[in-house]
Amino acid sequence: MKVLPLVYLLPLALAEDFRPLYHFCPEENWMNEPNGLIKIDSTWHLFYQHNPTANVWGNLNWGHATSNDLVHWTHEPLAITSGGGVEAFTGTAYFDGNNTSGLGTAQNPPYLAWYTGYITANETQDQRLAYSVDKGGTWTKFAGNPIISAAQEAPHDETGGLESRDPKVFFHEPSGKWVMVLAHGGQDKLTFWTSSDTKRWTWVSDLTSDQIPGLPSGVQAWEVPDMFQLPIEGTSDTTWVLIITPAEGSPAGGNGVIALTGSFDGTEFTADPVDPATLWLDHGRDFDGVMSWENVPASDGRRILAGIANSYGESPPTTTWKGMLTFPRTLTLRQTGPGNSLQFLQQPVQELAGVSGSLIATIQNQTITPGDTLLSSAQGIALDIQLAFSIDANAILSLAVRKAADEQTVIQYDSSNGTLSVDRTAAGDTSFDPGAGGVHTAPLQPDASGVVRIRALVDTCSVEVFGGQGEVVISDLIFPSESSEGLALTVEGGSAMLRSVEVHAISLSG
Ligand SMILES: *[C@@H]1O[C@H](CO)[C@@H](O)[C@H](O)[C@H]1NC(C)=O
Ligand SMILES: *[C@@H]1O[C@H](CO)[C@@H](O)[C@H](O)[C@H]1NC(C)=O
Ligand SMILES: *[C@@H]1O[C@H](CO)[C@@H](O)[C@H](O)[C@H]1NC(C)=O
Ligand SMILES: *[C@@H]1O[C@H](CO)[C@@H](O)[C@H](O)[C@H]1NC(C)=O
Ligand SMILES: *[C@@H]1O[C@H](CO)[C@@H](O)[C@H](O)[C@H]1NC(C)=O
């Protein structure tokens, strides 16, 4: 592991700047969504939209960090830089194991990254290629860039190619072709392109909202596509999954993330009918620009997602940094209900257990009744909290975190209507943006044995709340006072049987 630069270890001021403990954020300045997520040998690479010179969106480069466990991150030099009037916008990475691009050698095939070039002089976007022949350590821009010009995009884009971006590229085995999925800013469509050499691309199809049965009409302005195959649990089948960040229509406002299933023949994606109730991967305000790690070995087999937590632009009250990676989560698919419809499940990656130090509170098989307050002697700002309980028909169980006399973020389960919620109205500083407070809800039913499960990751300036087996998630940023570190577990309107409650303190120093 590389030694961290001294500046990262020293100033206490950084720790006081809402800096998360076990989530990635830039050492300094701005980040937005992750880019080019790829595992190479035992190293998880994280690239991300980064302004290294100011704490605002602009001057975008691919920042870079590496990890052996998705929890401890080492900051690395910029990977794909802005320069010559061209900024490096979002894109993805893939292993060119056959040296199809000719940019490596047969003995040392290259890793490729496709990104959007943003030409500042005329605000045009085109698609570009970079490659690495040292396992992702350094990246060289392809001399023939752009590989898709704005002029080539123009017939397929309402803005004449000005706003075509976010290339997701993968190799499609059955057709033997490379496939690119592009977003078109402000438009409700994606385009699909194919290539034999990773460098010359041909448009092959559009995917528009009217081709997705049941898609609510408000789900608009699609960005940041990701696409991959995922096994269906309990079967030998797989299905294609297409993930999109629409800028409009999400349950909590701001950008959100939808996940579609469907089939793909190498040129056209055919979407399964959409169930609006299970369409969104997250019901909170702060989960978007989601991508998944590629090149994860089959022996691991996980599809792991991460996005950006920050839907308020430059407004959050952090001074040295802006924008945080959501905690990496696995994505799986199960069949459910009479129609065997598919449902996504998400869970924090198991690597979190490696830093879940002391068990600071535990409760087993204890009934909680109105008037009781449990967990009040526990405290912390970096926690993994797991609850399993059964609850009376009209009762409401509330877990307050980051609690002080006049501050708290309340995670609640309302049994009367099967609703999981996160209430940020008294969470701390919500004045910086009209969307920073409020209550976010998601439907959640007890499991077949009547047990409700909730897992809450708390980290300095965020809560990520997973319901059930991960069929719903609510992710939100919060900005409480540093001293608001209490917990409280209460019930009203009836009682609850706490099967198991565990509160783990997260500690990176082990
Ligand atoms: C890989 O690309 C390099 C550079 O063009 C070329 O010299 C080499 O022969 C290629 N190898 C294979 C197996 O395609
Ligand atoms: C934008 O500028 C680039 C670089 O000078 C040029 O190649 C491209 O044609 C321009 N695009 C438009 C749409 O003007
Ligand atoms: C590499 O070549 C093998 C053998 O032709 C093929 O099965 C595989 O799909 C190719 N993979 C890529 C990424 O080109
Ligand atoms: C709690 O109750 C469940 C269900 O009755 C039982 O299986 C479990 O062993 C109990 N756990 C403890 C620690 O008593
Ligand atoms: C569930 O019921 C509670 C209490 O009546 C109410 O405040 C809340 O808005 C309801 N939630 C939903 C999603 O209907």
Side-chain angles (χ1 to χ4, degrees):
M1 179 180 252
K2 286 191 178 132
V3 175
L4 293 174
L6 205 55
V7 63
Y8 189 69
L9 296 171
L10 280 179
L12 261 180
L14 296 188
E16 290 159 4
D17 190 25
F18 300 102
R19 195 167 275 271
L21 182 76
Y22 64 98
H23 288 71
F24 175 83
C25 75
E27 199 170 11
E28 275 192 301
N29 291 323
W30 171 270
M31 86 175 265
N32 50 293
E33 71 263 16
N35 295 159
L37 301 180
I38 190 163
K39 190 174 194 196
I40 300 177
D41 297 340
S42 61
T43 303
W44 301 93
H45 289 263
L46 163 65
F47 304 97
Y48 58 96
Q49 287 287 282
H50 183 38
N51 181 346
T53 50
N55 207 5
V56 297
W57 187 90
N59 181 29
L60 287 163
N61 297 251
W62 280 31
H64 187 196
T66 52
S67 175
N68 289 321
D69 63 1
L70 295 165
V71 182
H72 299 82
W73 291 98
T74 303
H75 295 284
E76 304 283 358
L78 294 175
I80 302 177
T81 53
S82 140
V86 184
E87 297 183 19
F89 276 14
T90 284
T92 55
Y94 212 86
F95 181 43
D96 179 14
N98 292 339
N99 186 29
T100 310
S101 62
L103 296 169
T105 62
Q107 293 70 34
N108 185 32
Y111 292 84
L112 304 181
W114 295 262
Y115 63 101
T116 296
Y118 175 63
I119 296 136
T120 47
N122 56 19
E123 300 185 337
T124 298
Q125 296 170 19
D126 58 24
Q127 314 315 317
R128 294 176 181 242
L129 176 63
Y131 60 98
S132 173
V133 290
D134 62 358
K135 296 185 181 289
T138 58
W139 294 80
T140 305
K141 291 169 188 157
F142 172 54
N145 280 332
I147 52 167
I148 304 180
S149 67
Q152 192 184 350
E153 293 159 357
H156 313 288
D157 183 276
E158 282 174 17
T159 67
L162 287 176
E163 304 244 10
S164 299
R165 56 175 168 261
D166 309 340
K168 165 65 189 182
V169 176
F170 58 92
F171 184 73
H172 184 250
E173 297 270 349
S175 63
K177 289 260 176 80
W178 292 83
V179 174
M180 180 186 290
V181 190
L182 275 186
H184 298 270
Q187 299 160 58
D188 312 331
K189 85 175 207 182
L190 303 176
T191 52
F192 287 77
W193 304 66
T194 62
S195 174
S196 298
D197 66 0
T198 79
K199 296 178 285 200
R200 280 167 300 171
W201 292 86
T202 306
W203 171 89
V204 289
S205 73
D206 288 345
L207 178 70
T208 55
S209 48
D210 55 13
Q211 292 166 260
I212 304 174
L215 187 74
S217 59
V219 181
Q220 292 180 350
W222 305 354
E223 309 261 351
V224 194
D226 193 6
M227 191 168 154
F228 45 83
Q229 279 177 288
L230 203 61
I232 301 169
E233 273 181 9
T235 76
S236 53
D237 295 337
T238 62
T239 187
W240 282 92
V241 173
L242 179 59
I243 289 182
I244 308 170
T245 289
E248 290 167 34
S250 76
N255 293 338
V257 179
I258 62 171
L260 311 175
T261 59
S263 56
F264 182 65
D265 62 5
T267 56
E268 278 183 54
F269 180 83
T270 306
D272 295 336
V274 161
D275 176 355
T278 57
L279 178 63
W280 297 91
L281 285 187
D282 203 289
H283 296 257
R285 174 81 190 202
D286 295 298
F287 181 77
D288 71 81
V290 165
M291 286 193 187
S292 64
W293 269 273
E294 288 292 358
N295 213 40
V296 176
S299 57
D300 177 329
R302 290 176 296 172
R303 184 56 64 167
I304 300 171
L305 308 179
I308 177 74
N310 177 19
S311 66
Y312 325 99
E314 297 154 14
S315 313
T318 58
T319 52
T320 53
W321 63 281
K322 214 74 84 173
M324 180 189 90
L325 194 74
T326 63
F327 192 75
R329 45 174 96 164
T330 55
L331 183 73
T332 55
L333 257 181
R334 72 171 177 195
Q335 287 181 320
T336 176
N340 273 351
S341 63
L342 296 172
Q343 183 174 47
F344 289 102
L345 302 177
Q346 301 169 81
Q347 282 293 334
V349 292
Q350 71 204 19
E351 283 85 344
L352 184 58
V355 291
S356 290
S358 49
L359 186 59
I360 60 172
T362 179
I363 300 168
Q364 277 186 317
N365 291 346
Q366 182 180 329
T367 299
I368 181 172
T369 56
D372 295 341
T373 302
L374 304 181
L375 301 181
S376 51
S377 60
Q379 56 184 39
I381 65 170
L383 303 170
D384 178 2
I385 306 170
Q386 300 184 45
L387 310 175
F389 57 90
S390 53
I391 183 166
D392 287 352
N394 289 307
I396 298 174
L397 186 85
S398 298
L399 169 68
V401 301
R402 299 307 307 272
K403 184 175 170 57
D406 54 357
E407 277 184 359
Q408 59 179 356
T409 298
V410 183
I411 298 156
Q412 192 170 80
Y413 185 71
D414 186 336
S415 180
S416 68
N417 52 15
T419 301
L420 177 68
S421 60
V422 172
D423 182 345
R424 299 189 296 178
T425 48
D429 185 353
T430 57
S431 65
F432 60 88
D433 189 281
V439 183
H440 300 145
T441 65
L444 178 65
Q445 292 302 320
D447 70 14
S449 54
V451 175
V452 179
R453 283 171 213 282
I454 296 172
R455 184 166 184 189
L457 306 188
V458 178
D459 187 7
T460 319
C461 63
S462 66
V463 290
E464 290 160 289
V465 180
F466 296 78
Q469 292 180 274
E471 53 266 36
V472 291
V473 191
I474 304 175
S475 299
D476 281 316
L477 292 184
I478 52 172
F479 295 96
S481 308
E482 220 182 329
S483 58
S484 299
E485 49 184 17
L487 294 172
L489 185 62
T490 56
V491 70
E492 60 190 287
S495 61
M497 173 63 192
L498 301 169
R499 297 283 192 94
S500 165
V501 176
E502 290 193 355
V503 182
H504 284 271
I506 308 288
S507 168
L508 291 203
S509 53

